[in-house]
Structures are given as C-alpha cells and as structure tokens.
Amino acid sequence: MFIFIKTHKKYVILRIFVSKYQIIVRMKTIIVVGNGMVGYKFCEKFVAKEESKNYKVIVFGEEPRPAYDRVHLSEFFENQDAKALEMAPAEWYTENDIELIVNERVTDIHKTTKKITTAKDREFSYDYLVLATGSSAFVPPIKGVEKEGVFVYRTIEDLEGMLDYASKLKSKNANAKAAVLGGGLLGLEAGKAVMDMGLEPHIVEFAPKLMPRQLDSRSSQVLQLKLESIGLNIHLSKATNQILGDKSIVGMEFGEDDVLDVEMLIISAGIRPRDELGKTCDLEMGVRGGIVVNNKMQTSDESIYAIGEVALYNQMIYGLVAPGYDMAGVAVDQIIGEAETLMPEEIDMSTKLKLIGVDVASFGEPFMPASKGHSIIFENKTQHLYKRINVSLDGKSLLGGILVGDATDYSMLHQVYLNGMAIPEDPAQLILPASEGGAAFGDVMDLPDEAQICSCESVTKGQICAAIESGEATDIAGVVSCTKAGTGCGGCKPMLADLTNATLKSLGIEVKEGVCEHFDLNRQDLYKIIQVKEYKTFNEVLDNHGNGGHGCELCKPLIASLMASINADTANKEYAIQDSNDRFLANIQRNGTYSVVPRVPGGEITPDKLIALGEIAKKYDLYTKITGGVRIDLFGATLNQLPLIWKELIGHGFESGHAYGKSLRTVKTCVGSTWCRYGMDESVSFGIELENRYRGIRAPHKIKGGVSGCIRECAEARGKDFGLIAVEGGWNLYVGGNGGATPRHAELLAEQIDNETVIKYLDRYLMFYMRTAKPLQRTAAWQERLEGGMEYLKEVIIEDKLGIAVDLEKEMETLVNKFECEWTQAINDPEMMKRFSHFVNSEEEDDNLVFVPMRDQKMPEPWN
Amino acid sequence: MEEILETYTATELEHVKVWFKAASTKDFPVDGGACIKYKDKQIAVFNFARLDKWYACQNVCPHKMEMVLSRGMIGDDKGTPKVACPLHKKTFSLENGENLNGDLEAIATYPVKIENDFVYIGFSE
C-alpha cells in the first residue's frame, strides 16, 4: 500500500484498507490567494470539515509571515511582538496539510486553463481559486505624498518602518510632531500609535466629524473633546493641498496660510480592494473597484471565489472582520457542496472598540431619518459621554444606536437589536444611568439560544451553553478554546464571561479560585473574613476556614499580608508566617546574605546622612549601589550583622525602607519648583509627604510612586503604581503603571487637583486595590483586569459609586496613624533580636560564605 | 561546591550514636525553624507545632548549595510536612527529604527528640 502524489497534476492513489481494491481518486486543489485574517479563516473553517481531506490546499501570501491579527495591529506598538499577533504559527499549516507559500505574489490567473502564475514565474493548477487578497491603504493623490516620512498604516512592515523613522526623529527633536491623515476608525488607531511612539499626535480629517461612518456630529464632538483631553490634536474639515518639504516631509498645507508643521505623516484615509488579479483576468468588477460576487461568494467565473475586503457584495466592500469571516464560511460550504449556505442579504456592521482607552460603539442603523423612528439621546459633555438609541415609530423595537465614552451597554443593546427583543415601555431606560431612573435591563441568560454572542466567529449563546453543559468546557478559557468565541476582535469577552459564569452557576458549579490547596477562598474573600471576624493569628484563619492542612509558602505570607493590611501589624508579629524577606526585614541575596535599604523619602538626603551611609557600609564591608528606585542599597550583610547595622542606621535618623516587603518602596521625585526653572510645583515636598504617608503599608504587591514637577516627567511618574505630574492648576494623578516584565503606562485618574484631593483619591485607590487584587498582583495587572476598566475605577474612586469611599479613607487613615518602623521595634526588643543569628547554639556566623573581589568592592562567589 | 553535600547523610533512628543537645525548645519559633551547629555541620531544626512534631535536616539547599533551609517556611503538601527554600521556593519533605516540586537530590534528614524542654538531634558520628 502506498500513497502517490504527483504535485502539479494532482493524481493521488489513496490508501485503501479494505482489500485488494485500489481506487484512483483525483484529488482536487484549492488555491487561496492572500493570507490575511480572512484567508486564514477560510483555511481554518475548511480543515474543520470532514470533506477537506479530499482536497489539497495551497495558500499564497506575499507578506513574509503567516496570517496575523490586523484588528489589533496597534498593540504592536505596545509590545512590538509580531508573534503575539499571529493567527496561527507556521507549523499549524503543516499540521493541517496546507501548503503555505509566503513571500511569493500571485501575478496572473488563466481562467480557461485554471492555472495561476507567481512572481517567481511558477505555475500552479487549481480546481477552485479563492481570492482573499484584501485591501491596501488608499493613498489620495496629494502632491508630495512620496516624500520620506510619509507612511501608510496597514502591515507590520509599515509599522516597523514608522517606529524606525520615529526614533530617528525623536533623537533629533524630542518634541517632534506627527499627523495622521484620516479621522476614521483606523486613523484614530494610528493616532494612538503616534502617541505610543512618543510623538505629538495630530489627526487631520477631511469630513467635519470624526469616524464619519459610525458617528453622528454630536457624538463626534463628544469623542473629540475626550481625545483632546488626553492630548490628541484634532483638525476637522481640512483638505490637504500638498505635503511640504524637500526630501522629507516638514509639514502639510491645507489652505494658503493654513499649514501644520509635522515631520511624519501616516495615511489612513480608507482602503482600496486589492483587485488587480480580478482585472487582469477579466472578472466582473465594480465601478470603483472590488470583484463582484454573488451570495455564494462566486465571482463571474464559477470556479473563482472572492472573500473579504476584495469582494464587492451588494455593491459594498465590507471593511470589518466579522462579515469577512462569514464570507469565508460561505465559500468553504459552497466548495464542498453545501449549497444552501448563502451570504445574508443584510450584513450587520455594528462595531465596538476601545480607541485610546475611549469606548466607541455603533450598531444597527446609527443615523436614522426622523421618518423611520425616534431617537433618544443622552449627552454629558463634562464626562465625555454620549448615548443615542433609535427606536421604531411604534416604540417597540430597537433599530440602532451610538455609544461614546461608555459602551458597557453595547453587548446587551446589540443583542436586543439583533434578536428583535422587546424593549421597555420607556426606551430611555436602556441608556440612562441607573441613578437617573435607568434600570438594569436584560440578563445574558434571557437571550434566545440563537443569539449570536461572538459575531466574528458566529458563535451563538446556545453553542456556548452547550459546551459548558456537556462538560467540555469548565471555565472561560475552555469555552474560548472549544467554541473559538472571543478569538476575533475580542469585543464579546465581557459578555462571554458573564454567560460562562451564569451558565456554570445555573448548573450548580462553583467557580473555584482558592489561593492554594489549603484554602478554597480567594484573596478578596479572605480579606473580608479576616476583617469581619477580626482574626489575629494564622492558625485561627486556617482552623476556621482552611481545608484541614497546615498551610504553606503560598497562604502563609498572604494571610500575614492581609492581617498587616487590615490591622496595621508590622512583619514582627508572627514572623514565622512571613515571607523570608519580611521575616528578617531585609532582602535575601544569592548567597543567603542580605541587603539593607534605609528609607530616603523622595530621594532627598542630607550630606551628613549620606556620609553616615558610606561609613556604615565601609565598617561592615558592604557592597554599595544606588538602586533602580534611587535609594542606596548595602549588600552582603550576614544575618548576625543586620541588627548591628540597623542600630547604627537608626542612630543616624534612618528608618526601614521596606525594600523587602510587598509594600510601598519609594516615591521617586524630580527636583521640582524648589530648584528647577521649569518646575510648576514642589514635587520633592509632595513626594516626601506621600512616601511618609504610605510607608510600611502591606499590599498585594510592591507599590512605587513618582512625582514630577512638570510635564517633562523626569521622575517617570507614569511608570509607577501612582504618579503625579504638576500642571497648570494642580496635579494630574495617574494610576496603575509599572516597569517590570510587562511595562505599562499609568492611566489618568483625575486632572488638575490639589494636594488634599490627591491624597483623598490615592487613599481610596490604594485601599480599593488592597481589598480586591489577587495575591502578588501589581496595580497595573489589577487595573487591566478590573471589569469596567478606567471608567469604573473613576466611578468608584471619584464619584463613590459603591458608597465605600468613607470606609476606604478611614481604613487608610488607621494604617497611616499606626505606622511604626519595624526595625526600630526589632532592635529594641531582646526577644525579637534573637531571630537575627545564624545559629541558635553558637555566636558564629555562616562559615560557608565566600566573597570574591569585583571593581573595588566584593560579590558572592558565582554559582556554577 | 557539591562536596558540601557529602557532609550530610540521612540518619535513621536506629543508627544514632550521638544525641547532640542543641538548644532549648524556646529558641525555635512556633511552626518555624532555626539553624544549629554540630561540629562542621549546619542543621536546620523545625518546630512543627501544628503537628506537635520536630524535624531536622541539612541547612544547605541542594539547588544552589547555600545555607538557608532553616530560614524557609514550613507547611504541608497534601499532608506531607515540608520546608520551602527561601531562595527559589524548592520544597522538600521533612519526613524523607524528598524534593516535592522538582527532581533535586533528596536532603538529609535527622532524628529529633525533646527531653526536659531541650532539643536533641541524633547523629551517627
């Protein structure tokens, strides 16, 4: 028995197990031209079909990599990780017997002989040809558009080119400006990319409003206000006459005296279908481009299909992922003979996205003539909120709508619209805030089974529930992997989570997220229990709420931290349950010695104190280094030396820096208006005040702060858990940033607030984080996963939506007032001091330590 | 560095020749450990109060050969009493020294007895 494949003729002898019969089956070949998201989706849907094994699939892509997620292209600017955007790795194609040919463009189609030719002059035969060539950026014919520094926003290569150019610009001019031509959906995405590249962003739009296809003028104004408030400059009704500059761009000219100086331009003025192949082989084309298809996705040649942004269906090019995926599904079914699958007449163009942290959504018919129905509009410009719904004349059904600023209601409204569900008698309830007479309308469980939850992957509520009910999926990750819901644009994820949890609940399944084998409770539950029951020891918590074991290195330090957060205990209490560093109030280093970091609030230190540090370091022969948080770290102290060193440090007025704790580290400051000629406020004074306020407080993870005296941001405050930047009229307060493995900029919580308000909001924010985060979760990760995001956080912290602000402030006040330096505590208590000796039966030190010299100091012998 | 490990061999109760009087029970933290010195050996001793038991093992962690296990946190892994190294959280059974979350060499354990509030460690030499 053997298999025989002759590549270009495609005659295959299939292996037959039954008997001596050998049947020769002619295997059909499908060639897919284009390996973007839709081309990939075609392959994915195709291999899922039983019949696919009777076909050979060859995919051509002109880009050098496998298909990637273009919808989330702007994420590339955050992580520059092209791999993370991949739809599937190259191996996926091999595993599924698909031949993927990248870097080779298809140049011609010979309809009569059913062959294609590539740029490398190779020929391939097909039985079915699927054109998924997508679109390219439309470059308007503006004079000077070919100049250096003008880019389009389309592929990873475009992005790499931009990054390169931007970094060159910035090295010459730190305040360089860049413009985006086009204020549509993609243009605003590109605007975010410009911000992420650190250039001053400008959006230039020809129309008098932003996102002209999705928004009405009022919502566009609200969006504009919001975007301007975060630093985007918006220029509407501007027709660009020419691009200025000799070799490279230096500006854009709109009118005679109307010029915008920019050193870089990103064109995002719409898309044009990549339909050249259709033209060369004489397929029926649209007047303004696009290959005409019928509802089977067939072109004028019945063996040639077109899907995605190259296909002109009902005289329209659909630039969204969901219809593209649907087209791929129709083409797959048509090719294998499931003729009844057709593209629907009407295509849902609803979209929801987060633009630079701002929710924008539109669904159904966003703009509706008054003759067709009534509109209900809710607008709050001070909060950058706009909601509009369009209701039928009889008031019974929802026809469409627009949401800007807060799109939490989108999933539900979209479902109500799609499924023609009944709406309340007063439709205003659908969009009014609950406090103003709005009612929580609609529960996910009320949706009909056929309601489409994920429109990208066409997954219905029924399919999701079935996956959970059959036991195939037991959590959200499981639902995602077995239904593919949520893998497209990701917009349905919140609803997916609600649906999964509600379904699990309806089945009586509890969602377990215990901290370790000793507790089924999560950190938040334990927090509440310890607070309410006023437990004071680990054993009390374990005996009353544990699973009968004896604890471990996960739950012990967690409960120690919770009791410290709640009772303002120092780490000296019940030291055996503290993490090793907290137990010895120092940071353990590679060889089991410790490092010592005294607190230097705000980084301000007198010469005398600096000398004292130097002398102590010299006396105990400690390796000395300035830390990443601009404090002074003394390394190589033995356990026995720790109290001796601290006695001296405390004698010189130092106190513990808590570098070893999951607690406030340092508040980094720039010199501020005290000395700096640009300073707007006293960043050092305020930094010291904040550091002294929050010192010693135990949290889920370490906390760092920063205070900058002006927008030059020398203290890198936006890279900290909390950061302040002095501006005209007060401080801008940013929260949830960090460096580390996944760097993240802090987000703006409040603007132009005074010192007192900063402290009020920070007290609430930190306490809210301490109450609700997971173990070892930094503020950045916590904030990112906070349902409702930044808007919700603002509601809780600023507007006190949950009515807990007073409690949060009170709890923080208690912690602040109870602060005690734990090192001072330790060295004044002979019982505590016993902890700091290497042997309990000898005064000797660890004889295993070996140090070697390094750059005039010492280091532990390297590990082998 | 590995030669340090040769200093420590697991000692069974029946092979104990010397009961070394190490320190008072009060010198050890409740549900925690401390280190004692015997000749050239460093021994970690744990007062597992929740089980009302005492355990002893080598102080050196076989992962990076540092003298740190006595400073580790104790607890249990599905009922097996264990210690977690403070450097990289490698965990070892306090009963037979086995590495519970990896495939490091087992650590040497030693018998402990308490008499008149004093802690004695059993050695074969």
Side-chain angles (χ1 to χ4, degrees):
Chain A
M1 291 285 160
F2 54 92
I3 308 171
F4 171 68
I5 303 177
K6 200 172 165 196
T7 345
H8 293 300
K9 284 270 159 60
K10 299 294 165 236
Y11 287 95
V12 172
I13 300 170
L14 287 180
R15 186 166 158 170
I16 304 292
F17 291 95
V18 191
S19 67
K20 55 219 175 228
Y21 301 113
Q22 279 191 0
I23 313 174
I24 298 177
V25 181
R26 183 176 174 276
M27 200 167 176
K28 290 187 171 173
T29 301
I30 302 173
I31 290 183
V32 182
V33 186
N35 192 33
M37 296 178 80
V38 172
Y40 165 77
K41 190 53 61 175
F42 176 87
C43 297
E44 189 191 87
K45 291 194 173 187
F46 191 76
V47 296
K49 298 280 180 185
E50 182 63 17
E51 294 86 344
S52 65
K53 54 182 189 301
N54 301 330
Y55 296 83
K56 161 99 188 120
V57 180
I58 306 174
V59 181
F60 285 90
E62 62 171 353
E63 286 186 58
R65 58 186 99 239
Y68 56 89
D69 182 353
R70 243 183 262 274
V71 174
H72 295 109
L73 201 56
S74 64
E75 283 169 20
F76 182 76
F77 279 96
E78 285 156 29
N79 48 36
Q80 266 137 67
D81 182 1
K83 273 250 174 265
L85 288 175
E86 261 178 25
M87 311 279 299
E91 302 87 68
W92 180 87
Y93 295 87
T94 333
E95 282 160 20
N96 287 290
D97 276 333
I98 294 174
E99 194 178 338
L100 173 66
I101 302 177
V102 292
N103 256 330
E104 186 162 352
R105 200 160 55 86
V106 175
T107 50
D108 208 356
I109 301 170
H110 315 283
K111 282 193 297 190
T112 41
T113 52
K114 290 197 175 181
K115 279 184 183 153
I116 56 135
T117 327
T118 72
K120 293 183 183 162
D121 222 14
R122 295 203 289 167
E123 240 182 35
F124 295 83
S125 296
Y126 64 82
D127 293 283
Y128 296 103
L129 183 64
V130 178
L131 301 176
T133 42
S135 63
S136 55
F138 167 62
V139 180
I142 301 170
K143 196 177 150 202
V145 82
E146 71 296 333
K147 290 195 197 309
E148 246 176 58
V150 180
F151 295 86
V152 295
Y153 187 74
R154 191 70 190 154
T155 65
I156 290 185
E157 283 69 31
D158 295 335
L159 266 53
E160 283 170 344
M162 282 177 215
L163 279 169
D164 231 35
Y165 198 80
S167 70
K168 269 185 225 144
L169 279 185
K170 271 189 301 181
S171 64
K172 279 185 270 169
N173 172 11
N175 302 316
K177 298 176 189 171
V180 176
L181 186 65
L185 208 144
L186 212 57
L188 295 179
E189 282 267 327
K192 172 173 191 318
V194 171
M195 278 181 114
D196 286 344
M197 290 189 291
L199 302 173
E200 187 184 300
H202 292 260
I203 304 277
V204 177
E205 166 62 45
F206 177 75
K209 59 178 182 177
L210 291 169
M211 297 181 68
R213 278 189 173 211
Q214 288 86 7
L215 300 184
D216 56 12
S217 339
R218 285 175 76 174
S219 51
S220 159
Q221 280 167 25
V222 172
L223 179 63
Q224 182 176 356
L225 281 176
K226 175 71 196 180
L227 295 178
E228 283 169 347
S229 80
I230 51 183
L232 235 64
N233 303 285
I234 311 231
H235 314 266
L236 297 175
S237 306
K238 295 280 183 204
T240 311
N241 285 344
Q242 65 165 322
I243 289 163
L244 306 170
D246 292 331
K247 192 158 160 254
S248 35
I249 173 171
V250 297
M252 299 163 76
E253 187 194 276
F254 309 121
E256 215 165 287
D257 292 316
D258 194 1
V259 168
L260 177 66
D261 296 327
V262 287
E263 291 173 75
M264 184 170 167
L265 174 65
I266 298 167
I267 295 181
S268 180
I271 54 167
R272 282 295 172 266
R274 296 275 311 267
D275 53 11
E276 308 87 344
L277 279 175
K279 272 182 220 152
T280 47
C281 76
D282 254 349
L283 294 174
E284 188 189 338
M285 306 291 291
V287 188
R288 275 174 296 167
I291 302 173
V292 175
V293 291
N294 59 19
N295 57 2
K296 298 176 182 168
M297 291 297 116
Q298 261 168 342
T299 64
S300 54
D301 178 313
E302 60 174 24
S303 309
I304 304 179
Y305 291 76
I307 55 177
E309 290 172 339
V310 71
L312 187 73
Y313 176 62
N314 282 348
Q315 271 101 57
M316 271 274 287
I317 295 285
Y318 295 88
L320 291 178
V321 142
Y325 282 5
D326 287 343
M327 291 178 182
V330 171
V332 165
D333 284 2
Q334 288 292 337
I335 289 174
I336 60 166
E338 286 175 20
E340 67 281 12
T341 315
L342 298 169
M343 197 67 191
E345 247 346 86
E346 273 187 42
I347 290 175
D348 181 28
M349 292 296 281
S350 305
T351 35
K352 177 196 162 193
L353 66 156
K354 229 186 176 65
L355 278 170
I356 325 179
V358 189
D359 278 342
V360 179
S362 90
F363 62 96
E365 233 178 288
F367 334 103
M368 186 196 50
S371 59
K372 268 185 83 182
H374 305 298
S375 294
I376 299 167
I377 293 172
F378 170 84
E379 185 185 73
N380 182 340
K381 277 196 179 153
T382 58
Q383 286 184 17
H384 307 130
L385 274 181
Y386 179 88
K387 297 179 182 186
R388 164 181 176 166
I389 49 172
N390 304 322
V391 178
S392 62
L393 287 170
D394 61 7
K396 290 206 170 122
S397 49
L398 185 61
L399 303 176
I402 298 171
L403 303 169
V404 172
D406 173 13
T408 12
D409 300 331
Y410 170 78
S411 304
M412 195 41 82
L413 291 172
H414 188 211
Q415 289 299 335
V416 171
Y417 156 74
L418 281 179
N419 297 292
M421 289 163 75
I423 58 174
E425 211 166 305
D426 174 12
Q429 286 189 356
L430 288 170
I431 51 168
L432 275 183
S435 57
E436 288 165 45
F441 173 79
D443 182 281
V444 272
M445 293 309 266
D446 295 340
L447 291 172
D449 271 354
E450 59 278 10
Q452 207 175 65
I453 303 295
C454 171
S455 48
C456 297
E457 293 286 342
S458 310
V459 186
T460 62
K461 180 198 163 199
Q463 287 169 301
I464 291 168
C465 294
I468 299 168
E469 282 155 10
S470 67
E472 222 185 320
T474 51
D475 54 14
I476 297 165
V479 169
V480 171
S481 75
C482 58
T483 64
K484 292 214 177 308
T487 56
C489 70
C492 63
K493 276 195 177 152
M495 194 170 232
L496 200 58
D498 286 350
L499 186 57
T500 307
N501 289 336
T503 312
L504 285 171
K505 222 175 179 178
S506 76
L507 295 172
I509 299 168
E510 223 184 307
V511 190
K512 263 198 186 182
E513 43 172 344
V515 293
C516 67
E517 64 171 273
H518 302 102
F519 289 95
D520 289 336
L521 301 159
N522 64 21
R523 182 182 176 278
Q524 204 171 343
D525 295 334
L526 284 167
Y527 191 104
K528 278 183 213 137
I529 288 171
I530 294 170
Q531 194 172 34
V532 172
K533 303 256 181 170
E534 299 180 7
Y535 291 129
K536 301 285 183 247
T537 66
F538 174 74
N539 283 346
E540 280 176 301
V541 184
L542 184 61
D543 291 338
N544 289 307
H545 303 279
N547 292 339
H550 302 293
C552 67
E553 70 280 4
L554 295 174
C555 57
K556 283 183 170 182
L558 169 63
I559 286 172
S561 157
L562 289 175
M563 286 198 285
S565 291
I566 294 163
N567 306 325
D569 295 334
T570 68
N572 288 321
K573 191 178 152 275
E574 227 188 325
Y575 67 82
I577 63 164
Q578 304 287 344
D579 227 332
S580 174
N581 283 352
D582 270 321
R583 173 170 171 179
F584 297 105
L585 307 176
N587 294 54
I588 196 165
Q589 300 299 331
R590 207 154 57 69
N591 62 348
T593 61
Y594 290 87
S595 78
V596 172
V597 187
R599 186 167 297 289
V600 180
E604 183 184 83
I605 188 163
T606 62
D608 279 339
K609 277 184 146 179
L610 206 51
I611 290 166
L613 281 179
E615 278 174 351
I616 293 166
K618 210 164 173 181
K619 177 168 169 189
Y620 293 93
D621 188 21
L622 304 172
Y623 168 83
T624 306
K625 184 185 176 298
I626 313 281
T627 69
V630 290
R631 307 202 278 183
I632 293 163
D633 206 341
L634 314 174
F635 289 79
T638 62
L639 206 48
N640 301 42
Q641 284 175 333
L642 283 175
L644 306 175
I645 292 169
W646 270 105
K647 211 166 218 160
E648 296 201 28
L649 286 170
I650 289 166
H652 282 96
F654 286 103
E655 62 177 28
S656 168
H658 300 94
Y660 45 81
K662 303 296 177 220
S663 53
L664 179 77
R665 297 291 169 83
T666 170
V667 177
K668 186 174 175 178
T669 63
C670 73
V671 80
S673 60
T674 330
W675 287 91
C676 177
R677 66 193 192 283
Y678 296 117
M680 308 274 291
D681 210 328
E682 286 180 53
S683 43
V684 180
S685 311
F686 200 26
I688 293 173
E689 185 183 343
L690 292 174
E691 184 162 340
N692 285 336
R693 182 171 182 81
Y694 301 120
R695 67 192 160 167
I697 288 166
R698 282 338 199 248
H701 210 305
K702 64 182 169 191
I703 298 172
K704 295 177 176 185
V707 184
S708 278
C710 78
I711 48 149
R712 284 168 192 78
E713 244 284 69
C714 296
E716 294 163 337
R718 290 190 65 204
K720 309 291 184 203
D721 296 271
F722 63 86
L724 292 161
I725 300 175
V727 292
E728 197 66 55
W731 299 98
N732 280 0
L733 171 57
Y734 296 85
V735 288
N738 67 203
T742 352
R744 186 176 187 274
H745 266 156
E747 288 177 84
L748 186 64
L749 181 72
E751 285 173 278
Q752 295 168 302
I753 51 177
D754 60 13
N755 293 30
E756 208 177 306
T757 316
V758 167
I759 288 174
K760 185 166 80 180
Y761 288 170
L762 263 183
D763 280 4
R764 295 176 183 177
Y765 174 81
L766 291 174
M767 212 60 225
F768 188 48
Y769 159 66
M770 285 157 65
R771 273 192 185 186
T772 58
K774 290 188 180 156
L776 300 181
Q777 193 175 37
R778 289 283 300 266
T779 57
W782 168 73
Q783 205 165 297
E784 211 162 85
R785 283 164 191 76
L786 202 61
E787 238 172 88
M790 206 52 204
E791 288 306 315
Y792 173 71
L793 196 59
K794 283 182 188 168
E795 286 166 6
V796 175
I797 304 301
I798 300 173
E799 293 152 33
D800 192 18
K801 177 186 176 174
L802 303 178
I804 54 170
V806 177
D807 294 337
L808 296 175
E809 284 173 42
K810 240 192 255 160
E811 283 167 27
M812 183 57 87
E813 200 58 39
T814 312
L815 294 181
V816 171
N817 291 336
K818 278 193 169 172
F819 169 77
E820 210 179 328
C821 168
E822 48 207 16
W823 261 116
T824 312
Q825 222 174 29
I827 60 166
N828 288 321
D829 183 330
E831 216 20 66
M832 289 186 192
M833 286 287 274
K834 277 164 76 178
R835 207 187 314 161
F836 302 97
S837 74
H838 191 78
F839 297 112
V840 289
N841 63 338
S842 159
E843 300 285 302
E844 287 171 54
E845 296 207 6
D846 182 2
D847 48 13
N848 189 41
L849 296 175
V850 185
F851 290 96
V852 293
M854 187 208 45
R855 290 189 293 275
D856 299 333
Q857 297 199 62
K858 68 172 183 185
M859 65 173 269
E861 189 178 41
W863 277 339
N864 39 14
Chain B
M1 294 292 280
E2 275 72 13
E3 57 269 26
I4 302 174
L5 292 178
E6 290 161 20
T7 322
Y8 302 93
T9 39
T11 305
E12 302 286 332
L13 191 56
E14 58 265 35
H15 299 125
V16 171
K17 292 197 186 121
V18 189
W19 280 105
F20 173 65
K21 186 178 178 179
S24 157
T25 52
K26 290 196 282 297
D27 291 335
F28 298 87
V30 174
D31 285 315
C35 183
I36 64 122
K37 189 173 171 69
Y38 171 68
K39 294 185 183 168
D40 60 343
K41 288 185 173 64
Q42 294 195 19
I43 304 294
V45 180
F46 299 97
N47 171 11
F48 209 129
R50 282 187 65 91
L51 286 170
D52 198 18
K53 278 188 180 167
W54 289 72
Y55 295 98
C57 65
Q58 66 190 47
N59 194 30
V60 61
C61 176
H63 178 212
K64 292 292 178 186
M65 308 301 151
E66 302 295 351
M67 291 291 183
V68 290
L69 288 180
S70 59
R71 291 177 249 166
M73 226 176 296
I74 59 170
D76 78 291
D77 182 341
K78 298 177 198 74
T80 307
K82 66 170 181 181
V83 59
C85 174
L87 286 179
H88 303 98
K89 297 281 183 306
K90 303 283 175 190
T91 57
F92 301 92
S93 158
L94 290 172
E95 285 186 332
N96 60 16
E98 188 196 340
N99 178 201
L100 299 169
N101 61 353
D103 43 18
L104 290 170
E105 211 170 314
I107 55 172
T109 55
Y110 298 86
V112 185
K113 69 173 182 181
I114 307 296
E115 269 175 22
N116 301 325
D117 293 332
F118 267 89
V119 180
Y120 294 81
I121 317 292
F123 294 99
S124 57
E125 49 188 343

